[in-house]
Amino acid sequence: MDKFVIRGGNPLLGTVRISGAKNAALPAMAAALLTEEPVILENVPQVRDIETERKLLATMGAEVELGYGRAQHRTTICCRNPANPEASYDLVKTMRASTLVLGPLVARMKEARVSLPGGCAIGARPIDLHIKGLEKLGARISQEHGYIEARAERLRGAQIRFDRITVTGTEDLLMAATLAEGETVLENCAREPEVVDLAALLTKMGARIEGAGTSTIRVQGVEQLHGARHRIIPDRIEAGTFVVAGALTGGDLTVAGCEPRHLDALLQKIQECGIRISVTDDSIRVTGDGPLKGADIATEEYPGFATDLQAQYMALATQCDGVSIVDEHIFENRFMHAQELVRMGANIKIESHRATVRGKTPLSGAAVLASDLRASASLVLAALVADGETIIDRVYHIDRGYERIEEKLRGVGAQIRRIGELLPKRAASPVAV
Ligand code: EPU
């Protein structure tokens, strides 16, 4: 298992380029199941979750070509003769977003067999709302041996109100509705940019969709969809992670090739902390060499503060003067990074869904464990300002969603390297707190 060895203390200086959004590319790849023609996706990030989705689609008989380098991260998916409408437990347990194939499979192949994902490091994360929605569209659903089985000769348009806002739930039903008979109205939808990007792709494929990016999406079902070419939006969470990295290290960092308007909530908070930001159409420059002051955040659905940036913000809060309250409202167990930050010297108290961070406390390098994707990112950020060397174990979590993060960080001055199984001679010893 790979580890990162990071020596803290260097401000990040220069320009870092942002990759395509993992959470937009995953539903876009699933959308290719809806047509027999090729779907060409550009700006697909080279991360482990994309490789998992490639495997998943391949098990269903899709031809998936992942082109990198000169092929500009282009992925071509062709599901001419999908054969096996099943997402196995082996794949779903490594990536919950595999459940995104449920809607497209029932819509196109009339049946789907998808493993239930089970719990996960950040919360229970059921998929009951996907299932309820599909039932409303006329699918017959049964559950056996840990799998959901869904069948429908042809889905029928319906009025569906999500009991709570769900990103992949909105995406799953949006895809299903494109091939349903008649009109579907989805209410209380997620408004995330990734939903809007998926709707843009589906529209290019011939779907008739109105209202993506608002709470109500209307879909007029069509008989069939065709192939399309689409460029995936930049990854707002990767961009936000680098913005925090620039701020935290007191650097002068330009985060290029991003969509600053997707990051309004973060940028507002960062400025409240005393960091200078300048924004162009597609870049954010962060300069922060003065003292930082704490600010409270509460995670919410888009356009609120993203839960996927909460852990990274917490690393920043440890270096701000005063108290920062961090409320997590989306997932019930998304504070796994806090105890690792405490081991590095942070002062964080957790009570239910609230973390109280008291700063500024010096951080010192330690051996720490990554527990999930965004928690790992927060540990990398903390290590960049910690005294001495930090060793982060289980970086496969970070490889799921950040493309070449260590190369990108090294390019702007960080001291970070990846090591394999072998420990370096001078391993950091854990700090007792
Ligand atoms: N929920 C239900 N029932 C459902 C679906 C969701 O109760 O059927 C609950 C969840 O348990 C959670 C809340 O609703 O408490 C919101 O979950 P949501 O469905 O929106 O999350 P998701 O679609 O599974 C996506 C991202 C996550 C991101 C969340 C929230 C993808 C592939 N994943 O997950 O990204 O945290 O939305 O914004 O788009 C990540 O990239 O690190 C990541 C975890």
Side-chain angles (χ1 to χ4, degrees), residues 38-97:
V39 171
I40 301 167
L41 301 173
E42 286 164 1
N43 204 30
V44 174
Q46 191 168 12
V47 296
R48 191 180 294 242
D49 275 6
I50 296 296
E51 176 54 25
T52 306
E53 178 123 352
R54 184 196 66 74
K55 279 191 200 144
L56 175 67
L57 296 177
T59 62
M60 294 169 187
E63 290 162 31
V64 189
E65 201 183 287
L66 291 183
Y68 291 119
R70 262 178 290 153
Q72 291 181 319
H73 292 61
R74 189 183 305 130
T75 296
T76 306
I77 306 166
C78 188
C79 303
R80 193 164 294 117
N81 301 305
N84 170 33
E86 173 170 317
S88 72
Y89 177 60
D90 277 352
L91 288 168
V92 177
K93 77 174 183 218
T94 58
M95 188 182 73
R96 305 178 58 85

Side-chain angles (χ1 to χ4, degrees), residues 10 12 75 107 111 167 187 189 202 275 300 311 339 341 403:
N10 292 12
L12 299 188
T75 296
E111 58 176 327
V167 177
E187 291 174 346
C189 291
L202 293 167
I275 289 146
E300 284 167 25
Q339 287 319 312
L341 292 173
E403 181 172 307

Side-chain angles (χ1 to χ4, degrees), residues 22-23 125-129 164 166-168 308 330 374:
K22 162 186 83 83
N23 288 349
R125 302 183 75 186
I127 56 161
D128 56 311
L129 302 175
R164 69 174 289 181
T166 158
V167 177
T168 50
D308 288 345
I330 306 294
R374 309 304 172 187

Side-chain angles (χ1 to χ4, degrees), residues 22-24 26-27 49 96-97 100 122-131 164-169 171 190 192 194 236-237 300-302 306-308 329-332 334 372-374:
K22 162 186 83 83
N23 288 349
L26 291 172
D49 275 6
R96 305 178 58 85
L100 277 167
I122 61 177
R125 302 183 75 186
I127 56 161
D128 56 311
L129 302 175
H130 302 226
I131 295 165
R164 69 174 289 181
I165 297 175
T166 158
V167 177
T168 50
E171 293 164 347
E192 268 66 2
E194 293 76 17
R236 64 193 166 100
I237 307 301
E300 284 167 25
E301 294 87 0
Y302 189 83
T307 174
D308 288 345
H329 291 314
I330 306 294
F331 293 112
E332 61 267 34
R334 210 173 195 182
D372 70 76
L373 173 56
R374 309 304 172 187

